[in-house]
């Protein structure tokens, strides 16, 4: 790509800024949670129609489209991803584009991701003469519940691709900064439920029963020992229990208890080892005190581990666009999950974070999932630019 053409594309992206902002605000005002993104999908399809791109549904609410380059060069394929779902949160941030749906809010930036990918699609489709190969656009539902990525993967929409690329807003990064870090970036997410069965008795004769509440308490305490005494201090892993229910009455030995929690880890090996240790410990503890325990798991997402080569490619593009001083290569990994991990497992790729924080703009430095969350919308220029230029750079080089 010549300097003059790159300059032209940069100007087009800046000139499209109002369009991208209007899209982001539309999605922000009309948030839909995972598996309910029907109007969001319709709006995406409407914009793809305007751009001139054929599209299809993936699952009930995911959307897929393709852009084919026309230069006749190498026939490579890159998959670009934006997640589209919102959260069950009541927005408290007062702004002209505040959510119109009670108890629903884009509090994580997915509205910005969706608008950015649509903006990049508009630029890329109007410049098919600048690249060869294929760009696959995936507007993914259900990220917040670890659902939508596998629908695309299992449906074959990543088959045969050479690269995958996604981005996420980051309120703890200043607007204008981009973090692109190789290796583990996000943890795996597993939900678990431990069901403890005991035997009822009057509390005055506990020896005649088996106290499920006591067993559950011992499991909670022993869970922490799995990390501090059974796991290397060099392995980052977390086991958290957030919900406990037990018993029927104050004077009856509890015959049943349930614990719900999560395991977070940065490698598949540590993840599987921790799950096995938790299952073994829960069953053995229950047996020791005369009860029984069953452990159920749900795999929400794998650990997100950025491919080294892909990451270096994105870093190179980002440095050219934003300057080396604005590209972060060593950001601390997060124990939060993101199911873009499933894309990278299927197709080598990387996940970048673009800064949306600005202390001068209310809400933009609030934590993700905060009811006051907002973004500095000037950051949309960076996100659209990185989608656009990395796709072209990869397909041409």
């Amino acid at each position: 790509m010549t300097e003059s053409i790159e300059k032209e594309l940069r100007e087009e992206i800046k000139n499209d800024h109002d369009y991208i902002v209007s899209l982001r605000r539309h999605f922000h005002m009309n948030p839909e949670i995972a598996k309910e993104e029907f109007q969001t999908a319709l709006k995406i399809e409407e914009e793809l129609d305007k751009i001139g791109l054929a599209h299809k549904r993936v699952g009930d609410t995911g959307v897929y489209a393709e852009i084919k380059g026309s230069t006749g060069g190498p026939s490579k394929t890159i998959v670009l991803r934006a997640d589209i779902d919102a959260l069950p949160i009541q927005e408290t941030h007062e702004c002209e584009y505040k959510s119109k749906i009670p108890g629903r809010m884009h509090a994580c930036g997915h509205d910005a991701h969706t608008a950015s990918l649509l903006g990049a699609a508009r630029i890329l489709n109007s410049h098919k003469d600048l690249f060869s190969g294929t760009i696959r656009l995936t507007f993914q539902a259900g990220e917040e519940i670890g659902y939508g990525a596998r629908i695309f993967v299992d449906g074959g929409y990543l088959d045969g691709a050479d690269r995958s690329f996604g981005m996420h807003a980051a309120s703890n990064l200043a607007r204008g900064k981009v973090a692109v870090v190789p290796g583990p970036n996000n943890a795996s997410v597993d939900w678990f439920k431990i069901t403890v069965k005991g035997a009822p008795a009057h509390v005055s004769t506990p020896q005649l029963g088996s106290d499920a509440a006591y067993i559950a308490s011992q499991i909670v305490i022993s869970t922490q020992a799995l990390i501090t005494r059974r796991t290397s201090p060099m392995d980052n892993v977390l086991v958290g229990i957030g919900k406990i229910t037990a018993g029927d009455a104050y004077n009856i030995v509890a015959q049943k208890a349930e614990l719900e929690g999560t395991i977070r880890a940065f490698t598949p090996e540590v993840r599987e080892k921790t799950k096995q240790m938790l299952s073994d410990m829960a069953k053995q503890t229950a047996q020791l005190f005369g009860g029984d325990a069953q452990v159920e798991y749900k795999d929400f997402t794998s650990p997100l581990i950025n491919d080294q080569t892909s990451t270096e490619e994105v870093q190179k593009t980002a440095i050219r666009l934003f300057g080396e001083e604005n590209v972060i290569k060593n950001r601390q990994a997060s124990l939060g999950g993101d199911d873009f991990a499933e894309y990278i497992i299927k197709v080598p790729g990387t996940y970048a974070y673009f800064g949306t924080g600005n202390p001068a703009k209310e809400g933009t430095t609030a934590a993700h999932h905060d009811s006051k969350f907002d973004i500095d919308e000037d950051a949309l220029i960076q996100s659209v630019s990185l989608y656009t230029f990395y796709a072209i750079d990869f397909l041409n080089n």
Side-chain angles (χ1 to χ4, degrees), residues 20-312:
I20 307 304
V21 168
S22 70
L23 284 177
R24 184 259 165 171
R25 292 187 176 191
H26 171 86
F27 293 125
H28 193 87
M29 288 188 289
N30 298 278
E32 296 175 299
I33 61 173
K35 295 189 177 183
E36 297 180 9
E37 311 97 329
F38 295 102
Q39 295 305 311
T40 301
L42 285 172
K43 178 63 174 175
I44 292 167
E45 291 167 337
E46 176 186 317
E47 294 304 317
L48 292 173
D49 287 337
K50 292 177 184 177
I51 293 169
L53 290 172
H55 49 77
K56 67 180 297 184
R57 285 290 176 97
V58 178
D60 292 327
T61 52
V63 181
Y64 175 85
E66 287 186 357
I67 303 172
K68 291 189 177 295
S70 61
T71 65
S75 185
K76 295 191 291 185
T77 298
I78 184 170
V79 181
L80 304 181
R81 177 265 209 169
D83 40 11
I84 68 175
D85 54 326
L87 288 154
I89 295 174
Q90 180 65 45
E91 183 165 12
T92 60
H93 176 50
E94 296 298 330
C95 56
E96 61 184 287
Y97 45 87
K98 184 177 180 179
S99 170
K100 297 188 294 185
I101 312 299
R104 302 288 186 265
M105 180 190 175
H106 271 293
C108 201
H110 296 189
D111 49 349
H113 308 165
T114 308
S116 297
L117 188 53
L118 284 169
R122 186 154 101 155
I123 298 292
L124 289 163
N125 195 55
S126 64
H127 290 282
K128 291 183 286 190
D129 59 335
L130 293 181
F131 59 91
S132 61
T134 302
I135 299 169
R136 299 179 186 174
L137 308 172
T138 61
F139 296 89
Q140 181 212 305
E143 186 280 326
E144 293 291 353
I145 62 170
Y147 161 78
R150 289 190 176 97
I151 301 298
F152 277 91
V153 173
D154 294 345
Y157 295 95
L158 277 72
D159 288 358
D162 302 286
R163 282 290 183 276
S164 59
F165 178 59
M167 279 189 285
H168 203 294
S171 63
N172 60 357
L173 290 180
R175 192 262 299 163
K177 302 286 186 182
V178 175
V180 193
V181 182
N185 274 243
N186 293 81
S188 59
V189 179
D190 289 291
W191 168 91
F192 65 80
K193 179 166 73 173
I194 302 173
T195 302
V196 179
K197 294 183 179 179
H202 194 279
V203 293
S204 64
T205 55
Q207 75 279 8
L208 301 180
S210 175
D211 192 343
Y214 179 79
I215 294 169
S217 300
Q218 292 298 315
I219 290 172
V220 172
I221 294 170
S222 297
T223 293
Q224 303 313 308
L226 295 180
I227 306 305
T228 62
R229 289 297 176 267
R230 296 290 309 281
T231 304
S232 168
M234 305 304 293
D235 291 331
N236 292 299
V237 60
L238 176 148
V239 181
I241 295 174
K243 182 179 179 182
I244 305 174
T245 57
D248 299 305
Y250 82 98
N251 60 350
I252 302 174
V253 169
Q255 62 180 322
K256 183 179 178 180
E258 290 184 343
L259 305 91
E260 292 184 49
T262 183
I263 296 173
R264 309 293 174 100
F266 286 121
T267 68
E269 296 79 14
V270 172
R271 178 191 193 188
E272 292 307 314
K273 176 186 174 184
T274 305
K275 289 167 68 175
Q276 187 62 56
M277 287 195 303
L278 179 64
S279 296
D280 292 344
M281 179 273 292
K283 293 175 182 178
Q284 291 166 10
T285 301
Q287 185 178 23
L288 179 64
F289 295 104
D292 175 70
Q294 298 298 319
V295 186
E296 175 187 356
Y297 291 103
K298 288 183 181 178
D299 171 6
F300 283 178
T301 184
S302 304
L304 193 155
I305 303 173
N306 279 348
D307 172 66
Q308 180 74 36
T309 301
S310 306
T311 301
E312 291 172 357

Side-chain angles (χ1 to χ4, degrees), residues 326-338:
N326 290 315
V327 179
I328 299 167
K329 301 178 182 179
N330 60 350
R331 185 170 182 246
Q332 185 177 30
S334 168
L335 283 166
D338 193 298

